[in-house]
Amino acid sequence: INQIIFLNNNKNNIRSYDNDETCVTFSNSWIKNTRKYGTCVYIDLGAHHGDSYGSFIGSSDTDGKNGIFSRMFAGSTITERNSCHVHLLEGNTMFKPYLEEARRKSFIPDNVFLYVPSLIYGIDTELSFYINPGSGNKPGCRNCGGALDPQHSSSKNSGIVKKTQTININRLLYENTIPDDHVIIKSNIEGGEWPIIPCISKSNSRYLIDELWVEVHTIDVAPTLAFGPETTEYSKLRHDMKIIENSGVEIHEFGASCLTKGTFSEWCLK
């Protein structure tokens, strides 16, 4: 299988709805998915070296049965996961060999699609991605990372910046899922959730999602993108998450705001 980097990006004859410079909710240039049968679809935003995907299918060699991802997906209503359609998005090319190996070992490799390097966003464009090369304390590059936020706590001093293609979250859903699917999104994108959650809440694509597992990063981690719990922006993000939840999406939060018992604690993984 060839590496898949971009989806269809035909910009001719575009008609957009409720769009702005950071969020396109729909365009008639997008290619509607015409699959005739429903299936499980797992979308991993910030796939890293495949630890969360491995936990999802029950074969992780890094997270372990008591790790956060294993405990997360133990609560999912999807039991047969080996045949799911899988979309793994990662901005750091250092993880590409791990994700290629995960695809090779998967039950149906043709159902596993890699987008490396790519970032999830509200529009299709190119953005600067700030890379953390890792400290070398773990095998290979498993502790590497990256963020859209130039002041992110782990990558602000690395000096490694790469222009990286983004994929519109609403287009990804529209072109790869159908209403009969059971769609699970896991998001651990180091502050990048702040622009995409409002964009999902504005789009009918939110009705295609069944489960959203998201780490909401705090201002101390991503000071350029995130906001503090007492701010209007924080309340607005919570409002947007409620819109998504009220659209029939089961939301679980598993990150920093849970540890601090913040505004999002009602969704925290127990």
Side-chain angles (χ1 to χ4, degrees):
I1 305 170
N2 292 327
Q3 184 75 1
I4 297 174
I5 300 178
F6 307 127
L7 306 180
N8 169 63
N9 199 22
N10 175 19
K11 295 185 178 180
N12 297 323
N13 194 27
I14 290 178
R15 183 176 73 248
S16 300
Y17 303 92
D18 193 22
N19 300 329
D20 59 36
E21 62 183 10
T22 60
C23 176
V24 173
T25 58
F26 177 77
S27 167
N28 68 357
S29 69
W30 298 353
I31 298 177
K32 184 177 179 63
N33 191 296
T34 58
R35 184 164 26 86
K36 301 300 183 184
Y37 61 92
T39 188
C40 159
V41 179
Y42 174 67
I43 300 173
D44 195 331
L45 309 179
H48 208 247
H49 64 279
D51 50 346
S52 48
Y53 170 56
S55 294
F56 176 73
I57 61 174
S59 66
S60 176
D61 63 348
T62 56
D63 190 45
K65 67 178 181 180
N66 295 317
I68 183 65
F69 295 125
S70 295
R71 290 191 294 117
M72 277 169 48
F73 296 128
S76 174
T77 58
I78 293 296
T79 55
E80 179 52 56
R81 303 175 187 178
N82 283 328
S83 60
C84 292
H85 290 198
V86 176
H87 301 267
L88 305 176
L89 286 80
E90 174 55 50
N92 192 334
T93 56
M94 297 176 185
F95 292 123
K96 182 177 176 181
Y98 295 103
L99 296 175
E100 289 178 332
E101 179 69 4
R103 178 173 60 186
R104 187 185 67 79
K105 290 182 176 179
S106 66
F107 187 69
I108 308 177
D110 284 356
N111 285 354
V112 180
F113 305 98
L114 307 186
Y115 308 81
V116 185
S118 66
L119 307 172
I120 203 68
Y121 199 54
I123 61 174
D124 296 293
T125 186
E126 205 174 54
L127 294 174
S128 295
F129 187 58
Y130 300 85
I131 293 174
N132 167 23
S135 61
N137 294 326
K138 296 183 180 180
C141 192
R142 294 190 170 190
N143 61 329
C144 304
L148 280 173
D149 194 323
Q151 295 300 314
H152 189 280
S153 58
S154 70
S155 53
K156 64 181 179 180
N157 296 320
S158 75
I160 304 174
V161 184
K162 293 186 178 180
K163 286 290 187 180
T164 304
Q165 179 74 25
T166 68
I167 294 174
N168 184 323
I169 180 63
N170 295 316
R171 181 166 66 86
L172 181 70
L173 287 163
Y174 185 81
E175 294 189 344
N176 292 279
T177 70
I178 62 174
D180 287 342
D181 289 339
H182 188 101
V183 178
I184 301 168
I185 296 178
K186 168 247 149 183
S187 172
N188 185 5
I189 49 178
E190 305 303 316
E193 67 279 358
W194 282 81
I196 69 162
I197 288 174
C199 194
I200 293 172
S201 75
K202 296 176 184 178
S203 172
N204 284 338
S205 69
R206 67 185 187 272
Y207 295 106
L208 295 168
I209 306 168
D210 293 276
E211 301 177 38
L212 174 61
W213 300 79
V214 57
E215 177 169 4
V216 178
H217 293 80
T218 52
I219 191 170
D220 56 319
V221 174
T224 304
L225 289 174
F227 295 87
E230 305 304 320
T231 62
T232 301
E233 291 83 0
Y234 208 84
S235 298
K236 176 64 168 60
L237 189 69
R238 184 184 184 281
H239 173 74
D240 292 333
M241 288 177 71
K242 289 297 291 185
I243 290 175
I244 295 171
E245 181 180 51
N246 291 339
S247 301
V249 181
E250 183 181 320
I251 294 181
H252 300 277
E253 212 281 324
F254 62 90
S257 60
C258 287
L259 297 175
T260 58
K261 305 299 180 184
T263 307
F264 299 97
S265 59
E266 66 183 275
W267 290 299
C268 287
L269 179 68
K270 300 297 189 293

